[in-house]
């Protein structure tokens, strides 16, 4: 709540950004989910798993290239105005995705996904850089938890809607209305974001994206606390993109889930991340508590390893089954518990660390700091999607990938505990 007792979600200084982010995240994941279901159940052949991983990479890769430029633009201009312009352009990218779905053109849909990635990369420094402009330090954990929760609820809604659009006979109409409607809604919400002070009014924005990206990374590396926070958040997004790319084929192939079952497991996972984010804010009580991050990392590792062990050596399911049958089986229930635990742990892991990064950032360099973090996030995610796709091509199984991810994350938990800053 603010000084007047108004909840953040009803406050003018937070609510428009919240809904703008929600609508934008919905569209990103609506398009990606539609692609996943088309590839998984209607095309893709033996390369379906690799194509799904590629879709994640295409959405994320622009963050690695353009986050530095986005950070400069956000620090040089009023962040609210930047958000409004980006969301206006997004309406036309949504139109391109609608054309791709209407024509059943995977290349057009992939192109639109890349367009959403470009706009998301430019919007990222605005989205997270604007929070400390409008929120007090003690409100940052709650504000970040709400934004993270909105993002993952949007993933849930987009996933469900994308699955429906991909498998319904009249799904084209659903797709057209939702993808364009949410793009327009994001732009309208952006129009209500309050103006911000210009962080660096004399900054010269460089078109050299390589130079700006390197400058962001050098800035992060020069501050031990910022570097620590950026590495922690990058591991969270690496885990997230791997799990979300492996989950649909795991549910279909090993648990034997149909389209509705895949959607149900994805829904469970995304809701649980939101629960974990809210729990992190609740445990912090307005403070930034990095011990919560350590616990979250350890739990991610434990649940990922258990999910891998549960499915290790299983033959592909003989037939696809609906959600009730899948969740009613011992394997399906164990997988659901592991995914739910992993997702809640993810929220615990990332919220305190990212709130700390925002609190530690200098006002005049805040958006560029967030941009640098986004560059690292994108680098981790892009590398992860490439490595996982290559491992899948070499025959590494889904279960083995989950075990490997869990073991690595347990190592990360130890490193986070040993290196976390003493003071926040």
């Amino acid at each position: 709540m603010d000084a007047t007792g108004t909840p953040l979600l009803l406050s003018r200084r937070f609510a428009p950004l919240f809904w703008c982010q929600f609508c934008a995240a919905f569209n990103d994941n609506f398009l990606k989910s539609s692609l996943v279901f088309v590839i998984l159940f209607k095309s893709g052949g033996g390369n379906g798993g690799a194509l799904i991983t590629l879709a994640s990479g295409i959405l994320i890769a622009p963050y690695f290239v353009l986050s530095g430029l986005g950070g400069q633009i956000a620090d040089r201009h009023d962040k609210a105005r930047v958000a409004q312009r980006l969301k206006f352009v997004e309406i036309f990218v949504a139109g391109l995705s609608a054309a791709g779905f209407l024509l059943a053109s995977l290349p057009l849909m992939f192109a639109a996904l890349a367009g959403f990635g470009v706009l998301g990369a430019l919007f990222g420094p605005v989205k997270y850089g604007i929070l400390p402009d409008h929120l007090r330090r003690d409100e940052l954990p709650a504000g970040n938890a709400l934004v993270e929760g909105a993002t993952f609820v949007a993933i849930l809604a987009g996933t469900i809607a994308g699955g429906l659009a991909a498998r319904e006979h009249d799904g084209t109409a659903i797709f057209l209305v939702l993808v364009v409607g949410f793009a327009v809604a994001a732009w309208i919400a952006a129009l209500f974001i309050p103006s911000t002070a210009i962080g660096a009014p004399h900054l010269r924005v460089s078109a050299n994206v390589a130079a700006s990206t390197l400058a962001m990374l050098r800035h992060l590396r020069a501050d031990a606390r910022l570097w620590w926070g950026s590495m922690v958040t990058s591991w969270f997004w690496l885990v997230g993109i791997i799990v979300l790319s492996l989950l649909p084929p795991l549910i279909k192939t090993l648990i034997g889930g149909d389209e509705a079952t895949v959607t149900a497991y994805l829904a469970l996972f995304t809701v649980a991340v939101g629960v974990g984010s809210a729990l992190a804010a609740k445990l912090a009580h307005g403070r930034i508590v990095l011990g919560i991050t350590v616990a979250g990392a350890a739990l991610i590792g434990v649940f990922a390893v258990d999910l891998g062990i549960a499915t290790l050596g299983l033959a592909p399911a003989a037939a696809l089954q609906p959600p009730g049958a899948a969740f009613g089986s011992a394997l399906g229930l164990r997988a659901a518990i592991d995914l739910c635990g992993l997702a809640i742990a993810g929220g615990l892991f990332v919220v305190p660390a990212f709130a700390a990064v925002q609190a530690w950032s200098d006002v005049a360099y805040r958006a560029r700091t967030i941009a640098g973090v986004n560059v690292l996030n994108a680098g981790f995610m892009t590398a992860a999607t490439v490595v996982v796709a290559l491992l899948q091509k070499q025959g590494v199984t889904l279960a083995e990938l989950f075990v490997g991810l869990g073991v690595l994350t347990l190592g990360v938990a130890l490193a986070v505990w040993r290196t976390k800053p003493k003071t926040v």
Side-chain angles (χ1 to χ4, degrees):
M1 294 188 180
D2 60 20
T4 65
T6 303
L8 285 180
L9 276 176
L10 299 178
S11 171
R12 170 70 187 277
R13 60 199 174 95
F14 179 77
L17 176 65
F18 175 90
W19 291 112
C20 178
Q21 163 62 9
F22 177 87
C23 293
F26 174 92
N27 260 357
D28 289 350
N29 292 280
F30 177 55
L31 175 57
K32 179 185 170 184
S33 176
S34 298
L35 265 173
V36 165
F37 277 88
V38 168
I39 291 168
L40 196 58
F41 291 98
K42 296 184 179 179
S43 64
N47 295 321
L51 284 174
I52 290 170
T53 304
L54 178 63
S56 297
I58 285 176
L59 183 61
I60 296 304
Y63 285 79
F64 185 75
V65 179
L66 296 174
S67 288
L69 176 62
Q72 289 186 338
I73 293 171
D75 274 335
R76 175 61 183 84
H77 301 283
D78 179 343
K79 297 179 186 67
R81 302 289 86 77
V82 175
Q84 291 157 13
R85 289 174 173 83
L86 290 174
K87 294 307 157 189
F88 181 72
V89 174
E90 195 167 289
I91 296 172
F92 298 95
V93 179
L96 177 64
S97 71
F101 197 85
L102 181 64
L103 299 173
S105 169
L106 284 181
L108 274 183
M109 294 180 75
F110 270 106
L113 196 64
F116 279 131
V118 168
L119 292 170
L122 297 175
F123 182 59
V126 175
K127 172 179 66 178
Y128 287 111
I130 207 171
L131 285 179
D133 289 335
H134 292 317
L135 302 184
R136 301 186 307 270
R137 180 188 173 99
D138 63 298
E139 292 176 319
L140 284 177
N144 278 288
L146 287 169
V147 170
E148 294 295 343
T151 299
F152 282 95
V153 170
I155 291 173
L156 164 61
T159 298
I160 293 173
L164 288 172
R167 70 175 185 261
E168 293 293 330
H169 294 300
D170 57 349
T172 300
I174 297 173
F175 190 96
L176 293 175
V177 170
L178 289 181
V179 76
V180 176
F182 271 83
V184 171
W187 173 62
I188 292 173
L191 294 177
F192 289 92
I193 298 175
S195 295
T196 66
I198 298 174
H202 304 296
L203 174 68
R204 292 184 60 187
V205 177
S206 172
N208 187 334
V209 293
S212 61
T213 297
L214 289 174
M216 307 297 107
L217 295 177
R218 282 195 297 267
H219 171 70
L220 286 179
R221 195 69 184 90
D223 187 313
R225 295 192 305 176
L226 290 177
W227 185 252
W228 180 90
S230 62
M231 295 296 285
V232 169
T233 58
S234 293
W235 190 261
F236 165 79
W237 288 109
L238 177 148
V239 170
I241 198 168
I242 290 176
V243 172
L244 286 174
S245 64
L246 296 182
L247 185 53
L250 181 138
I251 300 304
K252 178 194 174 187
T253 305
L254 301 182
I255 295 178
D258 59 12
E259 294 99 320
T261 304
V262 172
T263 300
Y265 276 91
L266 286 169
L268 176 67
F269 180 82
T270 51
V271 167
V273 173
V275 170
S277 298
L279 181 59
K282 183 72 173 177
L283 292 173
H285 296 292
R287 300 166 296 143
I288 297 173
V289 184
L290 298 180
I292 297 173
T293 290
V294 177
L299 289 171
I300 289 172
V302 169
F303 284 113
V305 168
D306 189 69
L307 179 59
I309 291 173
T311 53
L312 201 61
L314 291 181
L320 301 184
Q321 52 189 346
F327 283 104
S329 68
L331 175 60
L333 180 59
R334 183 175 174 181
I337 292 171
D338 283 334
L339 286 169
C340 187
L342 192 159
I344 290 173
L348 295 174
F349 180 64
V350 73
V351 167
F354 200 77
V357 169
Q358 291 171 313
W360 294 333
S361 301
D362 180 77
V363 174
Y365 214 93
R366 182 173 289 141
R368 281 169 286 172
T369 298
I370 302 303
V373 175
N374 287 345
V375 169
L376 278 179
N377 293 170
F380 272 59
M381 288 189 285
T382 303
T385 57
V386 171
V387 170
V388 168
L390 290 175
L391 289 174
Q392 288 174 300
K393 279 288 191 180
Q394 295 301 313
V396 178
T397 67
L398 296 167
E400 289 167 346
L401 288 169
F402 271 104
V403 170
L405 180 64
V407 170
L408 288 174
T409 304
L410 288 173
V412 167
L414 178 61
V416 168
W417 173 68
R418 295 183 63 181
T419 60
K420 69 182 178 70
K422 304 300 182 187
T423 59
V424 181

